[in-house]
Amino acid sequence: MTAIIEQATAPLVVDPSILETVSEKAKAVDAGIEDARYILPILAEAGLLDTDLLTAARTIREISRRDLSVGFTTWAHLMTQTYLANANKPAASAVEQSLRSGTRPGITGMAAAFKEFAGCGEIELAATPVEGGYRVTGKLNWASNLYNDAVLVTAVRTDAGDRLLIFVESGVEGLTFGKPFGLLGLNATASAWVSLENVFVPESQVLTHDFDAFILQVRPTFVVLQIAECIGVAEAAIAAASERLFGVNATFADEVQDIAARVSDIIARQESIITRVGNSDISPVELLELRLDAAEVAVAAANVEVRVAGGAGYAKSSPASRRFREAAFIPVQSPSEAQLRWELERARAHA
């Protein structure tokens, strides 16, 4: 199993000293003692918040091997940067630069936007046109990186049916973050509801009025970076399981080998898509199938790791238990497994 371990732990793009820090802090992060946002200035200093898409994906993948809470926080932050950058507007560009420095986190409140685009949900926030911009009211049921210096990107709908993407900076009057949820895992990701009550959003903070085109533009990046989270968890789990495949645990060897092969296939497909982002030859079916496969393999890998670890893996403080709980988040992370299956069925019908 040496080859499996070497493959699943092979160096990618993150400095080993940073990875060691992530490993050392993983237990405190899992316990909610330390916020996962600590990683952002560290990545900024290393130049990893201002990179090409392949490097960004490998960064999230490599960090998620050590701690999915930190990988997820990085994903949300990088997606917020992506939305701001794709708007190509002065106000958005200025805020994006502050995110690139890692001094403030990004909140991607886009779950409803992607559901709206897919046709399986509706935008939750209402926008009323006023002089100079809009007044926004409504509630996001879930968002993460909810800190008092964060930047939120989300979608709104006007009474006339126009759909816009906007950004809002924390601290603005009428914006309220809920108390963080008590979760099975990822409790250091500052996740809760967000309420907007008559929040003024100037026109300069509207990222786009062309909702469908913008979502089409950013969706491949959104998906491949989520897949990186899945791969990282899976790689860590199969590497840990591989080290215990002796004695009675040798009965799991074939299963671990199969999962390792599936992970290798997903990595190849992910990196192939990354080379084509910005082109028109990435089909919805290809994206959705890969996202589902990545989620399934992460869950499978974490499941086999716990079984191989036995009683030690059932201890709440063990890395195996943490990864098992982290992996349980992946099928419910938006887009959830249910949404992905629903979308895939329709995408195949229209292919």
Side-chain angles (χ1 to χ4, degrees), residues 268-317:
R269 290 158 61 193
Q270 180 210 35
E271 298 204 347
S272 171
I273 288 175
I274 288 172
T275 66
R276 291 179 279 128
V277 168
N279 299 332
S280 59
D281 63 340
I282 303 174
S283 73
V285 171
E286 182 181 17
L287 275 176
L288 293 166
E289 285 180 340
L290 184 55
R291 176 66 173 79
L292 271 169
D293 288 349
E296 289 171 358
V297 81
V299 172
N303 184 286
V304 76
E305 181 192 1
V306 164
R307 286 181 284 138
V308 169
Y314 197 66
K316 186 176 180 180
S317 61

Side-chain angles (χ1 to χ4, degrees), residues 62-75:
E62 200 165 13
I63 290 173
S64 296
R65 290 174 178 173
R66 308 297 182 108
D67 185 349
L68 182 60
S69 292
V70 175
F72 172 75
T73 293
T74 304
W75 167 79

Side-chain angles (χ1 to χ4, degrees), residues 83 107-115 140 142 152-155 165 211 214-215 218 222 334:
Y83 304 138
I107 306 168
T108 170
M110 293 285 285
F114 282 97
K115 288 180 181 178
L140 302 176
W142 185 307
L152 166 69
V153 172
T154 191
L165 293 179
F211 178 84
F214 195 95
I215 295 296
V218 300
F222 180 94
S334 188

Side-chain angles (χ1 to χ4, degrees), residues 168-180:
V168 179
E169 299 188 67
S170 297
V172 67
E173 184 177 357
L175 179 66
T176 304
F177 298 152
K179 180 180 179 181

Side-chain angles (χ1 to χ4, degrees), residues 245-255:
L245 295 179
F246 50 83
V248 296
N249 282 339
T251 58
F252 290 105
D254 289 345
E255 186 173 351

